[in-house]
Short mmCIF file of all heavy atoms in Angstrom, two decimals:
data_model
loop_
_atom_site.label_atom_id
_atom_site.label_comp_id
_atom_site.label_asym_id
_atom_site.label_seq_id
_atom_site.Cartn_x
_atom_site.Cartn_y
_atom_site.Cartn_z
N GLY S 1012 7.95 -11.51 -9.22
CA GLY S 1012 9.08 -11.72 -8.32
C GLY S 1012 8.78 -11.27 -6.91
O GLY S 1012 9.15 -11.95 -5.93
N ARG S 1013 8.08 -10.15 -6.78
CA ARG S 1013 7.76 -9.62 -5.46
C ARG S 1013 6.83 -10.56 -4.70
O ARG S 1013 7.00 -10.78 -3.50
CB ARG S 1013 7.10 -8.24 -5.60
CG ARG S 1013 8.04 -7.13 -6.00
CD ARG S 1013 8.86 -6.68 -4.81
NE ARG S 1013 9.52 -5.42 -5.06
CZ ARG S 1013 10.23 -4.76 -4.17
NH1 ARG S 1013 10.37 -5.25 -2.94
NH2 ARG S 1013 10.82 -3.62 -4.46
N THR S 1014 5.83 -11.10 -5.38
CA THR S 1014 4.87 -11.96 -4.68
C THR S 1014 5.50 -13.30 -4.30
O THR S 1014 5.17 -13.87 -3.26
CB THR S 1014 3.62 -12.19 -5.53
OG1 THR S 1014 4.00 -12.73 -6.81
CG2 THR S 1014 2.86 -10.89 -5.74
N PHE S 1015 6.41 -13.83 -5.13
CA PHE S 1015 7.11 -15.05 -4.76
C PHE S 1015 7.95 -14.84 -3.50
O PHE S 1015 7.97 -15.67 -2.60
CB PHE S 1015 8.00 -15.52 -5.92
CG PHE S 1015 7.24 -16.14 -7.06
CD1 PHE S 1015 7.60 -15.88 -8.36
CD2 PHE S 1015 6.17 -16.98 -6.81
CE1 PHE S 1015 6.90 -16.45 -9.42
CE2 PHE S 1015 5.47 -17.56 -7.87
CZ PHE S 1015 5.84 -17.28 -9.17
N GLU S 1016 8.64 -13.71 -3.46
CA GLU S 1016 9.45 -13.39 -2.28
C GLU S 1016 8.57 -13.21 -1.06
O GLU S 1016 8.89 -13.70 0.03
CB GLU S 1016 10.27 -12.13 -2.55
CG GLU S 1016 11.16 -11.73 -1.38
CD GLU S 1016 11.89 -10.42 -1.64
OE1 GLU S 1016 11.80 -9.90 -2.77
OE2 GLU S 1016 12.54 -9.92 -0.70
N ALA S 1017 7.46 -12.49 -1.24
CA ALA S 1017 6.54 -12.27 -0.11
C ALA S 1017 5.95 -13.57 0.38
O ALA S 1017 5.83 -13.80 1.59
CB ALA S 1017 5.43 -11.30 -0.54
N ALA S 1018 5.59 -14.47 -0.54
CA ALA S 1018 5.02 -15.76 -0.15
C ALA S 1018 6.05 -16.61 0.59
O ALA S 1018 5.71 -17.30 1.56
CB ALA S 1018 4.50 -16.50 -1.38
N ALA S 1019 7.30 -16.55 0.14
CA ALA S 1019 8.36 -17.32 0.83
C ALA S 1019 8.56 -16.80 2.25
O ALA S 1019 8.69 -17.59 3.20
CB ALA S 1019 9.66 -17.23 0.04
N ARG S 1020 8.60 -15.47 2.41
CA ARG S 1020 8.74 -14.90 3.76
C ARG S 1020 7.56 -15.30 4.64
O ARG S 1020 7.71 -15.65 5.81
CB ARG S 1020 8.83 -13.38 3.67
CG ARG S 1020 10.15 -12.85 3.14
CD ARG S 1020 10.15 -11.34 3.23
NE ARG S 1020 11.42 -10.78 2.78
CZ ARG S 1020 11.70 -9.49 2.80
NH1 ARG S 1020 10.79 -8.63 3.23
NH2 ARG S 1020 12.86 -9.06 2.37
N TYR S 1021 6.36 -15.19 4.06
CA TYR S 1021 5.16 -15.53 4.83
C TYR S 1021 5.20 -16.99 5.27
O TYR S 1021 4.90 -17.31 6.42
CB TYR S 1021 3.91 -15.26 3.99
CG TYR S 1021 2.64 -15.74 4.65
CD1 TYR S 1021 2.04 -14.98 5.65
CD2 TYR S 1021 2.05 -16.94 4.29
CE1 TYR S 1021 0.89 -15.42 6.28
CE2 TYR S 1021 0.90 -17.39 4.90
CZ TYR S 1021 0.32 -16.62 5.90
OH TYR S 1021 -0.82 -17.07 6.52
N MET S 1022 5.58 -17.87 4.35
CA MET S 1022 5.58 -19.29 4.67
C MET S 1022 6.60 -19.61 5.76
O MET S 1022 6.32 -20.39 6.68
CB MET S 1022 5.88 -20.10 3.41
CG MET S 1022 5.83 -21.60 3.62
SD MET S 1022 4.20 -22.21 4.16
CE MET S 1022 3.29 -22.12 2.63
N ILE S 1023 7.79 -19.01 5.67
CA ILE S 1023 8.82 -19.28 6.67
C ILE S 1023 8.36 -18.84 8.06
O ILE S 1023 8.43 -19.61 9.03
CB ILE S 1023 10.13 -18.57 6.29
CG1 ILE S 1023 10.74 -19.22 5.04
CG2 ILE S 1023 11.13 -18.61 7.44
CD1 ILE S 1023 11.90 -18.45 4.45
N MET S 1024 7.88 -17.60 8.16
CA MET S 1024 7.44 -17.09 9.47
C MET S 1024 6.21 -17.84 9.97
O MET S 1024 6.10 -18.16 11.16
CB MET S 1024 7.15 -15.60 9.37
CG MET S 1024 8.36 -14.73 9.10
SD MET S 1024 9.61 -14.86 10.42
CE MET S 1024 8.70 -14.19 11.81
N SER S 1025 5.31 -18.16 9.06
CA SER S 1025 4.08 -18.82 9.48
C SER S 1025 4.34 -20.24 9.94
O SER S 1025 3.74 -20.71 10.92
CB SER S 1025 3.07 -18.81 8.32
OG SER S 1025 1.79 -19.16 8.76
N LEU S 1026 5.25 -20.94 9.26
CA LEU S 1026 5.58 -22.30 9.69
C LEU S 1026 6.32 -22.29 11.02
O LEU S 1026 6.16 -23.22 11.83
CB LEU S 1026 6.42 -23.00 8.62
CG LEU S 1026 5.68 -23.36 7.33
CD1 LEU S 1026 6.62 -24.00 6.33
CD2 LEU S 1026 4.50 -24.29 7.63
N LEU S 1027 7.11 -21.26 11.27
CA LEU S 1027 7.74 -21.12 12.58
C LEU S 1027 6.68 -20.99 13.66
O LEU S 1027 6.73 -21.66 14.70
CB LEU S 1027 8.67 -19.92 12.59
CG LEU S 1027 9.31 -19.56 13.94
CD1 LEU S 1027 10.18 -20.70 14.44
CD2 LEU S 1027 10.13 -18.28 13.82
N GLY S 1028 5.70 -20.14 13.41
CA GLY S 1028 4.60 -19.99 14.37
C GLY S 1028 3.80 -21.27 14.54
O GLY S 1028 3.44 -21.65 15.65
N SER S 1029 3.55 -21.98 13.42
CA SER S 1029 2.80 -23.23 13.50
C SER S 1029 3.56 -24.28 14.31
O SER S 1029 2.96 -25.04 15.08
CB SER S 1029 2.53 -23.77 12.09
OG SER S 1029 1.73 -22.88 11.35
N GLY S 1030 4.88 -24.32 14.13
CA GLY S 1030 5.68 -25.28 14.88
C GLY S 1030 5.61 -25.03 16.38
O GLY S 1030 5.47 -25.97 17.18
N LEU S 1031 5.70 -23.76 16.77
CA LEU S 1031 5.60 -23.43 18.19
C LEU S 1031 4.22 -23.76 18.74
O LEU S 1031 4.07 -24.25 19.86
CB LEU S 1031 5.93 -21.96 18.41
CG LEU S 1031 7.37 -21.54 18.10
CD1 LEU S 1031 7.53 -20.03 18.24
CD2 LEU S 1031 8.34 -22.26 19.03
N LEU S 1032 3.19 -23.50 17.93
CA LEU S 1032 1.83 -23.83 18.36
C LEU S 1032 1.68 -25.34 18.57
O LEU S 1032 1.10 -25.78 19.57
CB LEU S 1032 0.83 -23.34 17.31
CG LEU S 1032 -0.64 -23.72 17.53
CD1 LEU S 1032 -1.17 -23.12 18.82
CD2 LEU S 1032 -1.49 -23.30 16.34
N LEU S 1033 2.21 -26.13 17.64
CA LEU S 1033 2.11 -27.58 17.77
C LEU S 1033 2.87 -28.09 18.99
O LEU S 1033 2.38 -28.98 19.71
CB LEU S 1033 2.64 -28.25 16.51
CG LEU S 1033 2.59 -29.79 16.49
CD1 LEU S 1033 1.16 -30.28 16.65
CD2 LEU S 1033 3.19 -30.32 15.20
N LEU S 1034 4.04 -27.52 19.25
CA LEU S 1034 4.79 -27.90 20.46
C LEU S 1034 3.98 -27.57 21.72
O LEU S 1034 3.93 -28.37 22.66
CB LEU S 1034 6.13 -27.18 20.50
CG LEU S 1034 7.23 -27.70 19.57
CD1 LEU S 1034 8.44 -26.78 19.62
CD2 LEU S 1034 7.62 -29.12 19.96
N GLY S 1035 3.35 -26.40 21.73
CA GLY S 1035 2.54 -26.03 22.89
C GLY S 1035 1.37 -26.96 23.09
O GLY S 1035 1.07 -27.38 24.22
N ILE S 1036 0.69 -27.34 21.99
CA ILE S 1036 -0.43 -28.28 22.09
C ILE S 1036 0.06 -29.63 22.58
O ILE S 1036 -0.59 -30.31 23.39
CB ILE S 1036 -1.13 -28.40 20.73
CG1 ILE S 1036 -1.82 -27.07 20.37
CG2 ILE S 1036 -2.16 -29.52 20.75
CD1 ILE S 1036 -2.42 -27.05 18.97
N SER S 1037 1.23 -30.06 22.11
CA SER S 1037 1.80 -31.35 22.53
C SER S 1037 2.11 -31.35 24.02
O SER S 1037 1.82 -32.31 24.74
CB SER S 1037 3.06 -31.66 21.72
OG SER S 1037 2.79 -31.71 20.35
N TYR S 1038 2.72 -30.24 24.50
CA TYR S 1038 2.98 -30.12 25.94
C TYR S 1038 1.69 -30.19 26.73
O TYR S 1038 1.60 -30.88 27.77
CB TYR S 1038 3.69 -28.80 26.23
CG TYR S 1038 5.19 -28.88 26.32
CD1 TYR S 1038 5.98 -28.47 25.25
CD2 TYR S 1038 5.84 -29.34 27.46
CE1 TYR S 1038 7.36 -28.54 25.31
CE2 TYR S 1038 7.20 -29.41 27.54
CZ TYR S 1038 7.97 -29.01 26.46
OH TYR S 1038 9.33 -29.07 26.53
N LEU S 1039 0.68 -29.47 26.26
CA LEU S 1039 -0.59 -29.43 26.99
C LEU S 1039 -1.26 -30.80 27.00
O LEU S 1039 -1.85 -31.21 28.00
CB LEU S 1039 -1.50 -28.38 26.34
CG LEU S 1039 -2.69 -27.88 27.16
CD1 LEU S 1039 -2.22 -27.30 28.49
CD2 LEU S 1039 -3.49 -26.85 26.38
N TYR S 1040 -1.15 -31.52 25.88
CA TYR S 1040 -1.73 -32.86 25.82
C TYR S 1040 -0.98 -33.82 26.76
O TYR S 1040 -1.59 -34.66 27.44
CB TYR S 1040 -1.67 -33.39 24.39
CG TYR S 1040 -2.17 -34.81 24.25
CD1 TYR S 1040 -3.53 -35.09 24.37
CD2 TYR S 1040 -1.29 -35.86 24.02
CE1 TYR S 1040 -4.00 -36.39 24.26
CE2 TYR S 1040 -1.75 -37.16 23.90
CZ TYR S 1040 -3.10 -37.43 24.02
OH TYR S 1040 -3.56 -38.71 23.92
N ALA S 1041 0.36 -33.66 26.81
CA ALA S 1041 1.14 -34.51 27.71
C ALA S 1041 0.78 -34.27 29.18
O ALA S 1041 0.80 -35.20 29.99
CB ALA S 1041 2.63 -34.25 27.50
N VAL S 1042 0.43 -33.02 29.51
CA VAL S 1042 0.11 -32.68 30.89
C VAL S 1042 -1.32 -33.08 31.25
O VAL S 1042 -1.58 -33.59 32.34
CB VAL S 1042 0.32 -31.16 31.12
CG1 VAL S 1042 -0.24 -30.74 32.46
CG2 VAL S 1042 1.80 -30.82 31.03
N THR S 1043 -2.26 -32.85 30.32
CA THR S 1043 -3.68 -33.04 30.65
C THR S 1043 -4.25 -34.35 30.12
O THR S 1043 -5.24 -34.87 30.69
CB THR S 1043 -4.52 -31.88 30.07
OG1 THR S 1043 -4.42 -31.89 28.63
CG2 THR S 1043 -4.01 -30.55 30.60
N GLY S 1044 -3.70 -34.87 29.03
CA GLY S 1044 -4.24 -36.09 28.44
C GLY S 1044 -5.48 -35.88 27.62
O GLY S 1044 -6.17 -36.84 27.27
N HIS S 1045 -5.79 -34.64 27.27
CA HIS S 1045 -7.01 -34.33 26.51
C HIS S 1045 -6.69 -33.36 25.38
O HIS S 1045 -5.71 -32.61 25.43
CB HIS S 1045 -8.08 -33.69 27.42
CG HIS S 1045 -8.56 -34.59 28.50
ND1 HIS S 1045 -9.41 -35.65 28.28
CD2 HIS S 1045 -8.30 -34.59 29.84
CE1 HIS S 1045 -9.67 -36.26 29.43
NE2 HIS S 1045 -9.00 -35.63 30.40
N LEU S 1046 -7.58 -33.37 24.36
CA LEU S 1046 -7.50 -32.40 23.26
C LEU S 1046 -8.75 -31.54 23.16
O LEU S 1046 -8.71 -30.46 22.58
CB LEU S 1046 -7.25 -33.12 21.93
CG LEU S 1046 -5.84 -33.71 21.74
CD1 LEU S 1046 -5.77 -34.53 20.46
CD2 LEU S 1046 -4.79 -32.61 21.71
N LEU S 1047 -9.87 -32.02 23.69
CA LEU S 1047 -11.08 -31.20 23.71
C LEU S 1047 -10.89 -30.04 24.69
O LEU S 1047 -10.41 -30.23 25.81
CB LEU S 1047 -12.30 -32.02 24.12
CG LEU S 1047 -12.88 -32.96 23.06
CD1 LEU S 1047 -14.10 -33.68 23.62
CD2 LEU S 1047 -13.25 -32.22 21.79
N MET S 1048 -11.31 -28.85 24.27
CA MET S 1048 -11.05 -27.66 25.07
C MET S 1048 -11.72 -27.73 26.44
O MET S 1048 -11.12 -27.35 27.45
CB MET S 1048 -11.52 -26.41 24.31
CG MET S 1048 -10.76 -26.15 23.03
SD MET S 1048 -11.31 -24.65 22.18
CE MET S 1048 -10.21 -24.67 20.75
N SER S 1049 -12.94 -28.19 26.48
CA SER S 1049 -13.65 -28.25 27.77
C SER S 1049 -12.99 -29.25 28.71
O SER S 1049 -12.88 -28.98 29.93
CB SER S 1049 -15.11 -28.64 27.53
OG SER S 1049 -15.19 -29.82 26.74
#
Side-chain angles (χ1 to χ4, degrees):
R1013 287 282 194 176
T1014 56
F1015 285 140
E1016 180 184 354
R1020 287 185 178 183
Y1021 173 80
M1022 184 61 76
I1023 291 170
M1024 294 299 296
S1025 193
L1026 289 178
L1027 174 62
S1029 298
L1031 294 175
L1032 174 63
L1033 181 59
L1034 284 174
I1036 293 174
S1037 301
Y1038 264 102
L1039 198 57
Y1040 176 72
V1042 170
T1043 63
H1045 296 286
L1046 288 174
L1047 284 181
M1048 295 182 180
S1049 53

